[in-house]
Amino acid sequence: MRSASSALLNIYGLSKSYNGHSYAIDDVSFDVGRGELVVIIGSSGAGKSTLLRCINCLIRSSKGQIEFDGKEISSMRGGELRRNRRRIGMVFQHYNLVDRASAIENVLHGRLGYKSSLAGALNYYSEKEKLSAFDALEHVGMAEYAYVSVSQLSGGQKQRVGIARSLAQNPLLMLADEPIASLDPKSSHTVMDQLRKVVDEFNVASLVSLHQVDYALEYADRIIGLSEGHVCCVARPDELNSKMIERVYEGDKSISIMGEDN
């Protein structure tokens, strides 16, 4: 069993309030190790997106600590934060890609955290970076679309470009916020296959939020249930039972006991 001290990501008592009164997440604690895919399940509004955005400091937590690769990052600012955050890849539900740019141009954007402001503004990338970007696309099965405008790609293909962009960062940790929420079942399995492949082949830590319990059971090493901002269960897939699932989705009529839409 991995100890918390050996984990890549440690979350201690993390809370976020947007209004100073109620909390979107409240006293959340857990850890994620390298080579581990942890899935956060919960209904819409449970706090999954808030949690992920606090971890990569897109928003600031109200209380608690985030320790990444041995450093406390929630209080970091400026260049120190940018240097640490560039090793955290992010895959978004709505892709967050530049539609008018090609797939490989979008993947190269994953290198911006390593570049000076001038080099970034001029879109200057070394040949090594360009080759690495192409390799990332090849890894997710998108090499043949490298020079195709993202606007011409399907949702599943866009999400794979998003994964390749995160790979271009050479990440230690990959976060994915509802990456299959807008996809059909076939594309959903393809995207989850790629995330699982990244974790296994590159030994990164991955934290993925999902609405669907069945995908969590299929792909996760551990599952964290989030309900109204609180962690209500932590279990391996073979440990997750119907009572745990009921606690997570209590009152959510859109979820059946196995997480499939009715």
Side-chain angles (χ1 to χ4, degrees), residues 11-160:
I11 306 297
Y12 302 105
L14 201 67
S15 300
K16 173 62 181 179
S17 175
Y18 292 100
N19 58 18
H21 304 291
S22 59
Y23 284 89
I25 55 171
D26 190 10
D27 196 26
V28 171
S29 299
F30 63 90
D31 63 88
V32 185
R34 296 195 69 162
E36 185 179 31
L37 194 159
V38 176
V39 169
I40 304 170
I41 58 172
S43 301
S44 297
K48 303 187 299 296
S49 293
T50 293
L51 175 59
L52 292 182
R53 289 172 182 270
C54 284
I55 290 171
N56 68 4
C57 300
L58 286 175
I59 58 175
R60 292 289 178 179
S61 56
S62 302
K63 294 186 292 185
Q65 291 184 312
I66 304 164
E67 188 178 279
F68 170 64
D69 196 25
K71 299 177 182 178
E72 207 291 315
I73 65 171
S74 58
S75 60
M76 289 182 179
R77 297 291 188 276
E80 184 182 24
L81 175 60
R82 286 192 295 273
R83 285 190 295 274
N84 282 276
R85 193 166 59 181
R86 66 192 180 189
R87 301 301 300 275
I88 302 176
M90 184 76 182
V91 179
F92 297 86
Q93 177 180 346
H94 299 297
Y95 320 123
N96 203 32
L97 301 171
V98 180
D99 274 352
R100 66 179 181 276
S102 67
I104 197 162
E105 287 173 320
N106 273 278
V107 174
L108 283 166
H109 291 167
R111 298 299 302 171
L112 289 175
Y114 292 89
K115 312 195 81 62
S116 67
S117 298
L118 179 59
L122 295 175
N123 285 320
Y124 171 76
Y125 300 100
S126 68
E127 287 303 312
K128 182 179 180 181
E129 286 174 319
K130 293 174 184 177
L131 288 172
S132 293
F134 190 86
D135 286 344
L137 282 172
E138 189 169 40
H139 192 81
V140 299
M142 289 294 293
E144 65 183 292
Y145 299 96
Y147 301 103
V148 174
S149 171
V150 163
S151 63
Q152 299 178 42
L153 301 179
S154 69
Q157 290 171 330
K158 288 179 180 180
Q159 202 60 286
R160 283 190 279 162

